[in-house]
Amino acid sequence: MALHSSFPSAVWSLFAFLLVTEPYLALGSSRRGPLGLTGNVIIAPPAGMCAAAVAVHGYKCQEFDVRTDDGYILSVQRIPEGRVGGGGGGGKTKQPVLLQHGVLVDGMTWLLNSPDQSLAFILADNGFDVWISNIRGTRFSRRHATLNANDPEFWNWTWDDLVMHDLPSVIDFVFKQTGQKMNYVGHSLGTLIALASFSEGRQVDKVKSAALLSPIAYLSHMTTALGVVAARSFVGEITKLFGLAEFNPKGAPVANFLKALCAQPGVDCYDLMSAVTGKNCCLNASTEDLFLKNEPQSTATKNMIHLAQTVRDGILSKYDYGNVNYNLEHYGESRPPVYNLTNIPHNLPLFLSYGGRDALSDVRDVQTLLDSLKLHEPDKISVQYVKDFAHADFIMGVTAKDVVFNQVIEFFRRQL
Ligand SMILES: *[C@@H]1O[C@H](CO)[C@@H](O)[C@H](O)[C@H]1NC(C)=O
Ligand SMILES: *[C@@H]1O[C@H](CO)[C@@H](O)[C@H](O)[C@H]1NC(C)=O
Ligand SMILES: *[C@@H]1O[C@H](CO)[C@@H](O)[C@H](O)[C@H]1NC(C)=O
């Protein structure tokens, strides 16, 4: 099980967020002030996401609970129309759009800038029926029919389970509520689970088109000393440290783990944020503060290990139990099955937008992804390269509307 000297910038750049939220690590974030860290307790705003982040801007908002077939209860929000005077399309049936966030964050990330700058509001004001998903384990989706979030079994999942359970449950729900196929927007892990689903022919009967921002599938390119250290620690020791458990970025065990990594020779955590996520060109300081008050969110340790495997192995496959017998037991094969992206239906309309400074969705890895889509019908795939953008710019950049979101809307309008 040799490690390549590479690690997912994906995983790592998310650590960057963790580090800046960690007061012990003194990463020069004094202007951010107290973040209300609460140890292992995750506190959701009591009023929920609609009241906290949508209704305050004068939009209608509905909140739903969606139960997955393996018992998780996911919170889903709907912004059915734009502000008064916005929205257009009088009487016409609105097209649904589902927004799927990335790893270690939740659906709130679509709502942090002003309404004129945030994708969810912009879509509503442009006449779309907007749905926001929150995957298992994030603060509004920490419920299960029989398990409690304190039970280790609650955290026994990886992104394979998002492909098998969360995504189908939410997509089915939106499909039933609206009676229509939907457009999909994914960011980061939200692109990975969509690509993996489509490659298995899942959801393609209910998804009309997909816009993939900071697309992630292959995660092999990482060159910093930090990445190498992290790769070893992650796949090797993290299971021993955390077991089958919640990976709570705001908790003490994760903080101590990161502190130990940062103490390794040659690892510089001071400028981790830009060294690893890539230098975001266009974030608003107030929005960053708001981001850090709302994120990061917990995920499963097993999910983080799966992401680390994705890097190590350089291929996209299901979770590797690390043992032939366990793999045989789960998959009937000694190696975990591969998600073969060349099997994505070649006529499924795709829009991909990636950034020149995105350390998480590295340009070389995006090229590998594009190579695997080279049999796609040419008029069904659009690719945008944004030289100055890094990972977070695609969601929270103050120029994202002009640069990316307007293109997404045009792309969706072409799908009538
Ligand atoms: C975790 O889930 C796997 C199936 O994905 C199952 O085989 C295993 O027994 C579960 N472990 C625990 C502790 O629940
Ligand atoms: C940054 O955010 C603040 C608070 O929402 C807002 O008042 C300001 O106009 C924003 N700046 C830019 C450049 O969008
Ligand atoms: C993926 O599928 C294509 C065609 O279906 C096949 O030619 C290719 O070998 C497969 N790749 C892998 C890695 O299995």
Side-chain angles (χ1 to χ4, degrees), residues 31-32 113 282-293 396 398:
R31 79 178 163 78
R32 298 200 161 94
N113 267 338
C282 305
L283 301 189
N284 180 336
S286 323
T287 306
E288 263 186 283
D289 286 347
L290 201 55
F291 177 83
L292 291 170
K293 283 186 185 120
M396 297 189 290
V398 294

Side-chain angles (χ1 to χ4, degrees), residues 266 300 303 306 364 394:
N303 186 35
H306 190 190
R364 288 164 296 179
F394 284 92

Side-chain angles (χ1 to χ4, degrees), residues 17 59 81 85 101 167 182-183 194 203 231 246 275 297 304-305 333 342 351 363 383 389 392 404:
F17 291 134
Y59 290 77
E81 57 192 64
H101 63 78
L167 204 52
M182 70 210 67
N183 300 295
Q203 315 314 329
E246 175 170 2
Q297 302 288 317
M304 297 298 276
I305 295 168
E333 301 168 40
T342 59
F351 171 88
V363 169
V383 179
F389 267 28
V404 179

Side-chain angles (χ1 to χ4, degrees), residues 152-153 156-157 161 244 302 321 329-330:
E153 295 97 291
N156 186 13
W157 54 269
D161 298 279
L244 184 68
K302 191 174 170 185
Y321 284 87
E329 185 186 316
H330 284 95

Side-chain angles (χ1 to χ4, degrees), residues 53-72:
V54 181
V56 289
H57 292 301
Y59 290 77
K60 287 185 187 161
C61 187
Q62 301 161 356
E63 222 125 20
F64 301 90
D65 284 344
V66 174
R67 188 170 154 173
T68 67
D69 57 350
D70 59 347
Y72 289 84

